[in-house]
Amino acid sequence: MPAPRSESTARGRRTGILGGSFDPPHIGHAIVAGDLIEALHLDRLLVVPAGDPPHREVVLAAAVRLDLARRLFAGVPGIEVSTVEIERPGPSYTVDTLVELKRRFPSDRLVLVVGEDQFAGLGRWKSCRRLPELARIAVMPRGGRKPATPTGMERIEYLVANVTRIDVSASRIRQRLDEGRSVHFLVPESIRQDVERAWPTCRARPVTQ
């Protein structure tokens, strides 16, 4: 007789989705990802590097960002790096990603994780009203306060994911790389040297320590 399935397996995995440009991946991504598994009681977390972000420019090529993200999370239990957006041509809209993930994992219970700033502008996202139909929304607040409801989506239900927030951002790292400065401790050592080598403006001069 087969062993009884766990409640999680019987109901489908609880799968979190953490998207972003990861340009480049950094220590803040690693800390937040680990916290999300516990905060949202996830069976797994899919880290989804954007292929072609529609609202921002990226410096590193999609294949490079994917490789760095894979190495950042290599061997971390419960975290998988997904190629779903990089495989798809055209702009990386979240609604299209959720539709594809629902097709691939029809029994999974999807949880879309967004930051408070992203959540505030959710009403301007492509097909925004479809998002709660495809996944639960989880918001990472700043400063412990309750996130404000997005304009035009006043009835949206959402979860709050309290995670460790440190003052590290990809934009700050990009600035340091543009200036030829080291990103020690801001980017994990497992990928730091490759990030510095890959950065276009760093190739002409050595990175200072």
Side-chain angles (χ1 to χ4, degrees), residues 111-158:
V111 182
L112 174 65
V113 182
V114 297
E116 185 173 336
D117 294 343
Q118 293 173 302
F119 185 63
L122 200 68
R124 298 189 297 271
W125 290 23
K126 177 185 176 183
S127 303
C128 60
R129 295 190 182 279
R130 291 195 63 194
L131 300 177
E133 300 171 2
L134 295 165
R136 295 293 303 274
I137 308 295
V139 185
M140 297 180 289
R142 294 183 181 276
R145 62 179 182 271
K146 184 177 179 179
T149 305
T151 302
M153 302 185 70
E154 285 74 12
R155 296 186 179 183
I156 189 172
E157 296 183 2
Y158 60 90

Side-chain angles (χ1 to χ4, degrees), residues 45-191:
L45 176 69
L46 295 182
V47 172
V48 184
D52 179 12
H55 303 302
R56 69 175 60 187
E57 294 183 0
V58 291
V59 177
L60 297 176
V64 175
R65 292 183 285 108
L66 174 64
D67 177 65
L68 292 171
R70 280 175 165 167
R71 290 166 54 198
L72 175 61
F73 293 107
V76 180
I79 298 179
E80 303 173 23
V81 177
S82 172
T83 61
V84 63
E85 290 194 354
I86 289 177
E87 293 170 2
R88 188 176 64 243
S92 300
Y93 291 109
T94 299
V95 66
D96 298 329
T97 299
L98 293 179
V99 168
E100 176 60 19
L101 291 175
K102 289 291 285 186
R103 185 191 68 80
R104 295 186 185 188
F105 312 112
S107 63
D108 282 22
R109 294 169 289 148
L110 303 181
V111 182
L112 174 65
V113 182
V114 297
E116 185 173 336
D117 294 343
Q118 293 173 302
F119 185 63
L122 200 68
R124 298 189 297 271
W125 290 23
K126 177 185 176 183
S127 303
C128 60
R129 295 190 182 279
R130 291 195 63 194
L131 300 177
E133 300 171 2
L134 295 165
R136 295 293 303 274
I137 308 295
V139 185
M140 297 180 289
R142 294 183 181 276
R145 62 179 182 271
K146 184 177 179 179
T149 305
T151 302
M153 302 185 70
E154 285 74 12
R155 296 186 179 183
I156 189 172
E157 296 183 2
Y158 60 90
L159 306 171
V160 174
N162 289 306
V163 297
T164 304
R165 305 301 292 259
I166 58 175
D167 188 20
V168 175
S169 67
S171 60
R172 177 184 176 191
I173 292 170
R174 290 195 297 269
Q175 180 180 356
R176 291 180 67 90
L177 289 167
D178 285 341
E179 295 169 353
R181 300 168 65 193
S182 172
V183 292
H184 275 290
F185 307 114
L186 301 176
V187 174
E189 285 299 302
S190 60
I191 62 172

